Amino acid sequence: MAKKEGPFLRFKDKLSKFPVKEGFKNSPEKILQTTEVLTLSDHLFSKYGENYALELSDAVLKDIKLEHHAVRLRTESKAAYLASFYPESSNPLR
């Protein structure tokens, strides 16, 4: 059975391979693929610090052609941005 491809899965896949700044390491794909939205956010903030986590996320989103998510990331709160990955009916943030 084929893996369901969605924006969050594409983001996590690319994030595991995306070039990071010197002094940082990528999170292993195995860890990223098993994380949910809020867990991933916390992981990125603790691993990279808030500023670089946002910068890296922005670059990854642009690279996978999700510019609209990158714009939202730069302009909205963390909770509002993360909520965009959930369908309205299953969104735990609303």
Side-chain angles (χ1 to χ4, degrees):
M1 177 183 258
K3 182 167 66 169
K4 183 180 177 185
E5 184 75 12
F8 188 55
L9 291 176
R10 288 176 37 219
F11 175 77
K12 292 190 297 183
D13 181 59
K14 187 65 172 190
L15 184 63
S16 69
K17 302 169 188 131
F18 201 80
V20 294
K21 286 183 178 180
E22 187 175 327
F24 292 101
K25 292 184 179 183
N26 290 85
S27 292
E29 184 176 6
K30 183 176 180 180
I31 291 173
L32 294 176
Q33 293 305 323
T34 60
T35 59
E36 296 298 324
V37 174
L38 295 176
T39 306
L40 179 60
S41 175
D42 290 341
H43 170 76
L44 293 176
F45 286 151
S46 68
K47 183 173 181 78
Y48 299 115
E50 185 174 349
N51 289 336
Y52 186 54
L54 292 171
E55 178 184 331
L56 178 60
S57 297
D58 181 68
V60 170
L61 289 166
K62 288 177 182 175
D63 192 69
I64 61 173
K65 310 295 187 247
L66 291 175
E67 178 66 29
H68 60 286
H69 284 291
V71 169
R72 289 183 69 184
L73 177 63
R74 292 189 303 266
T75 59
E76 295 183 9
S77 71
K78 174 183 165 184
Y81 171 70
L82 294 174
S84 70
F85 284 107
Y86 285 96
E88 190 68 32
S89 61
S90 66
N91 188 336
L93 301 173
R94 294 183 193 230

